């Protein structure tokens, strides 16, 4: 009888001091895991081994929560840089379909994100098709884009192949170089005009000197 009583007392103490606490702790851990809410904590405040284990879990959860907040802040910061960059930035997959585009790119396209994501770069007129560029596998291309306006714009597009989550994608940066190309054209025309004007009087002088001889 004493052995049975002793066992009953031990089982009662185990249930009261350990098993019931483990059950509560397990439920709290499962709740945190199911909703992904890392600001949840284990409520056991005992001073025994279970209490120490609970505090260790809470310290780990606190560190994970801080890391999660840092990652979220970093993602928001990079999203802001991506969206408000002065150049057009867009991503495409290995099949040439648009994955994402920032505001500058959408402004050039004159379309919303819903109208562009999933569409091919060829359809969006963002694909460089020059055979020489393709053969030489250039990472920088110039592309005339018929954007709003009579003359359209000239884009300088840089391509950066990257791997993200085992997927091969291309990061593209499109810079509007229309003004630069216009200045280069003006410079060439000016040099041509000056050269032509200089050649004309030299020819006259040569002809005059020939007549004198």
């Amino acid at each position: 009888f004493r052995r049975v009583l002793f066992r009953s007392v031990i089982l009662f103490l185990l249930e009261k001091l350990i098993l019931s606490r483990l059950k509560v702790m397990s439920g709290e851990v499962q709740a945190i895991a199911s909703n992904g809410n890392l600001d949840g904590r284990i409520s056991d405040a005992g001073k025994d081994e279970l209490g120490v284990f609970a505090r260790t879990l809470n310290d780990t959860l606190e560190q994970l929560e801080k890391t999660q907040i840092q990652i979220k802040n970093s993602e928001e910061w990079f999203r802001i840089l991506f969206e408000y960059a002065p150049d057009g930035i867009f991503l495409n997959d290995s099949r040439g379909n648009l994955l994402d585009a920032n505001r500058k790119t959408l402004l050039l396209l004159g379309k919303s994100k819903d109208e562009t994501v999933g569409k091919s770069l060829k359809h969006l007129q963002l694909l460089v098709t020059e055979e020489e560029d393709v053969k030489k596998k250039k990472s920088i291309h110039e592309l005339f884009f018929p954007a709003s306006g009579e003359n359209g714009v000239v884009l300088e597009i840089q391509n950066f192949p990257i791997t993200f989550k085992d997927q091969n994608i291309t990061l593209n940066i499109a810079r509007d170089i229309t003004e630069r190309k216009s200045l280069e054209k003006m410079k060439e025309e000016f040099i041509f005009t000056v050269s032509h004007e200089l050649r004309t009087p030299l020819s006259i002088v040569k002809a005059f000197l020939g007549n004198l001889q």
Side-chain angles (χ1 to χ4, degrees), residues 10-29:
I10 293 298
L11 289 174
F12 174 78
L13 291 175
L14 284 173
E15 174 67 27
K16 187 70 176 177
L17 299 177
I18 298 177
L19 297 180
S20 61
R21 291 165 63 192
L22 281 174
K23 185 177 180 180
V24 172
M25 189 181 297
S26 176
E28 291 174 339
V29 171

Side-chain angles (χ1 to χ4, degrees), residues 64-88:
L64 288 173
E65 183 185 11
K66 289 180 180 178
T67 302
Q68 186 184 55
I69 292 173
Q70 290 174 351
I71 292 174
K72 183 179 179 181
N73 290 338
S74 296
E75 289 175 348
E76 290 178 354
W77 176 244
F78 280 112
R79 171 55 63 175
I80 290 173
L81 291 176
F82 173 78
E83 288 293 347
Y84 293 95
D87 295 329

Side-chain angles (χ1 to χ4, degrees), residues 86-98:
D87 295 329
I89 303 176
F90 57 96
L91 301 166
N92 65 272
D93 60 21
S94 58
R95 295 177 296 178
N97 295 325
L98 189 73

Side-chain angles (χ1 to χ4, degrees), residues 108-159:
L108 287 169
L109 294 172
K111 299 179 182 294
S112 67
K113 187 162 292 191
D114 291 337
E115 294 174 309
T116 55
V117 172
K119 299 292 192 302
S120 69
L121 297 186
K122 183 177 181 180
H123 173 79
L124 297 171
Q125 297 179 295
L126 286 174
L127 183 66
V128 178
T129 57
E130 286 83 350
E131 292 184 1
E132 281 301 312
D133 283 353
V134 174
K135 288 179 181 178
K136 295 179 181 179
K137 296 182 179 180
K138 288 184 178 179
S139 60
I140 302 178
H141 313 274
E142 287 186 9
L143 173 69
F144 175 77
F145 186 78
S148 58
E150 294 182 1
N151 300 322
V153 297
V154 181
L155 299 177
E156 181 182 74
I157 301 180
Q158 291 183 273
N159 312 121

